[in-house]
Amino acid sequence: MAGTSDVTIIGGGIVGLATAHALAQQLPDSRITVIDKEPDWGSHQSGHNSGVIHSGLYYAPGSAKARFARAGGEAMYRFCAEHGIPVHRTGKVVVATGEHELPALRELFRRGKANGVQVRELSRAELREREPHVRGLRALLVPEAGIVDFPAVCRKLAELLAEHGAQLLPATELVGVRRDGNQLVLATDREEIRTRWAINCAGLHSDAVAELAGTEPPARILPFRGEYYHTTSFRRRLVNALVYPVPNPAFPFLGVHLTRTIDGGLHVGPNAVLAMAREGYDWWTWSRSHVRRLLQDRALRELAREYWRTGLGEIARSVVKPLFVREVQRLLPELRGRDLLRAEAGVRAQAVTPDGKLVDDFLVVEDEHWVHVLNAPSPAATASLLIGEDIAARISSRAR
C-alpha cells in the first residue's frame, strides 16, 4: 500500500508539527503527511524539557537562535492564548553567586540588549525582594520569559492539522528512502509514501535520517541526558518564578536551574550527561550499536579531550545526589536533599562537528528534495512556530 503526498515530515515533535502547520497555511492545497515512530506526538525532546519560553538573552547576536527566540516566544504566547493552552509570563532572573561570574553576567546583559530583549540589572537587595530565598551578588531580570505546557501545544498542532486534512501517521517509522523519477519513496514499517519533498525533523535521529536520505550530515548527534528533580510540595514556594545560574560560556547548556512549572510544581535541573543510547533516559538504557559508534567517533574523542573535567563533574552530580544538591544550594541554600524527588529526565539532541565542536546554533541543510533540520536544541520549542514558518517557506518557494 502506498500513500501519496506533496510534503512529508519525518518527526512529530513540536518543530515537525509547527512546520506542517505553517505549510498548511502557506500551501493550503498541498497534501501534507507527518510520520513519527512513537504512538504519541512530542514524545521526546518536546515532552521532556523545562517548559520554559525563552527570551533570546543567551544567544550570539545575529545567530539564528537570537533571530528566532524573542519573536518566537511572543508567537508562542499568542498561539497559547488563542487556543486556551496554559501559559504564564513569569519572568526570570539569572544570578551571579560569585565575583568571578560578574563579567559573564555583564556579557549576557550586552547580548540581551543587542538581541532586543527586555533586561535590567538587579542589585542584591532587588534580587532578594523578588526571590527572597535565592542567594546572589547581582542578577539580570528578564520579564519576557515564561512557562507553558509544550505537550499541550503539540496536541493542539496535531488537532489543527487533522482539521486541515493532513495525514497524521504516528507509530510509523522510516526505514528506507529511494528516488523514483522526480519523487521520493519513503519506506516505513507500515507502508510506502510517495512524496515530492521531505523534511527531516527527527531530532535525536536526524543525522540517521539524513544518512538514509543519502546525505552526509556535517554534524553528528550526541544525546545528552538532562536529569531533573522536583521538590516536595511544601518546598515549592522557595522560588517564585524562574531562577538560572550564569551559564558556562563554553557549553550550549544553561546549567542547573529552578523553574516553576505550569501545574504549580518546582523543577530543579537539568545536568548534562552523555547518554548511552539516543533515547537513554536513565543509566540502565544502553544501545550496543550506539556505544560502539561513540567509541569509534572522532568527534567524541576530541570533545572528551577538551571537556573531560566538565564531563566527570556532570557524571558525579548524576550518581551522587549530595553533589547535585550542593550545586543547587549555590542558588538556593535552604534546599536539602530530602526536599528533592527524582523526576522524568530528558535527552537533548546535540550536534557535534567532526572536529569535536558543539554546534551552538540551529543547523539546516537542504538539497533538491530534502530539508534536514540537524540541530534544533533550546530555544527550538520556544521558537518552533517561527522555525516552522521558515522551513515551510523553503518548500513553498520551490512549489510556486
Side-chain angles (χ1 to χ4, degrees), residues 92-318:
K92 79 174 178 182
V93 290
V94 181
V95 181
T97 58
E99 293 282 349
H100 66 286
E101 294 179 329
L102 293 178
L105 193 73
R106 288 191 288 270
E107 171 61 16
L108 284 180
F109 181 82
R110 185 196 70 79
R111 283 191 175 194
K113 286 294 186 182
N115 292 337
V117 177
Q118 296 180 40
V119 56
R120 72 178 180 90
E121 295 180 89
L122 298 180
S123 66
R124 180 183 296 190
E126 290 171 318
L127 171 63
R128 183 167 292 276
E129 182 179 353
R130 184 175 178 87
E131 293 285 357
H133 302 280
V134 172
R135 179 176 63 190
L137 297 179
R138 296 192 67 81
L140 300 180
L141 171 62
V142 186
E144 296 168 310
I147 52 177
V148 69
D149 185 346
F150 281 126
V153 174
C154 291
R155 292 192 295 271
K156 175 54 68 173
L157 287 168
E159 179 185 318
L160 294 173
L161 286 166
E163 292 173 0
H164 175 78
Q167 181 177 213
L168 300 177
L169 299 176
T172 303
E173 184 173 0
L174 181 73
V175 296
V177 179
R178 72 177 192 273
R179 290 279 296 274
D180 186 6
N182 65 349
Q183 287 189 321
L184 294 170
V185 180
L186 307 180
T188 77
D189 56 358
R190 292 176 56 184
E191 62 181 44
E192 286 189 342
I193 302 168
R194 291 183 172 271
T195 189
R196 190 173 179 189
W197 297 290
I199 302 173
N200 170 9
C201 294
L204 288 160
H205 301 270
S206 57
D207 57 341
V209 169
E211 289 175 343
L212 277 179
T215 296
E216 179 62 34
R220 300 288 184 183
I221 294 298
L222 285 182
F224 283 87
R225 183 172 60 257
E227 296 162 337
Y228 290 90
Y229 289 87
H230 60 82
T231 61
T232 53
S233 58
F234 60 91
R235 303 300 274 173
R236 292 174 181 174
R237 295 300 167 186
L238 288 176
V239 170
N240 292 323
L242 311 177
V243 179
Y244 281 67
V246 176
N248 181 346
F251 265 1
F253 306 110
L254 300 181
V256 173
H257 42 269
L258 303 134
T259 53
R260 295 306 300 264
T261 58
I262 205 70
D263 62 0
L266 177 62
H267 256 187
V268 183
N271 53 13
V273 180
L274 186 65
M276 295 298 103
R278 289 186 187 252
E279 294 160 17
Y281 289 98
D282 53 49
W283 279 106
W284 299 273
T285 302
W286 290 62
S287 162
R288 182 175 298 178
S289 61
H290 178 71
V291 172
R292 185 185 306 116
R293 187 168 185 173
L294 288 179
L295 294 174
Q296 297 171 349
D297 196 324
R298 177 187 163 216
L300 178 61
R301 292 198 298 272
E302 295 296 326
L303 189 69
R305 182 177 294 115
E306 186 165 358
Y307 297 116
W308 65 270
R309 281 191 178 88
T310 302
L312 286 178
E314 294 290 335
I315 291 170
R317 283 187 288 273
S318 171

Side-chain angles (χ1 to χ4, degrees), residues 333-399:
E334 295 176 46
L335 204 64
R336 299 291 180 266
R338 62 179 177 270
D339 301 326
L340 296 177
L341 306 173
R342 281 279 185 186
E344 280 191 337
V347 180
R348 170 180 172 141
Q350 175 62 53
V352 181
T353 60
D355 59 355
K357 303 297 183 186
L358 297 166
V359 178
D360 195 25
D361 206 358
F362 301 141
L363 177 61
V364 179
V365 173
E366 300 179 63
D367 62 28
E368 180 184 0
H369 291 280
W370 283 87
V371 177
H372 297 284
V373 182
L374 296 175
N375 197 52
S378 180
T382 294
S384 55
L385 296 171
L386 291 195
I387 295 172
E389 290 179 6
D390 178 78
I391 298 169
R394 298 169 190 248
I395 297 296
S396 299
S397 65
R398 307 178 192 186

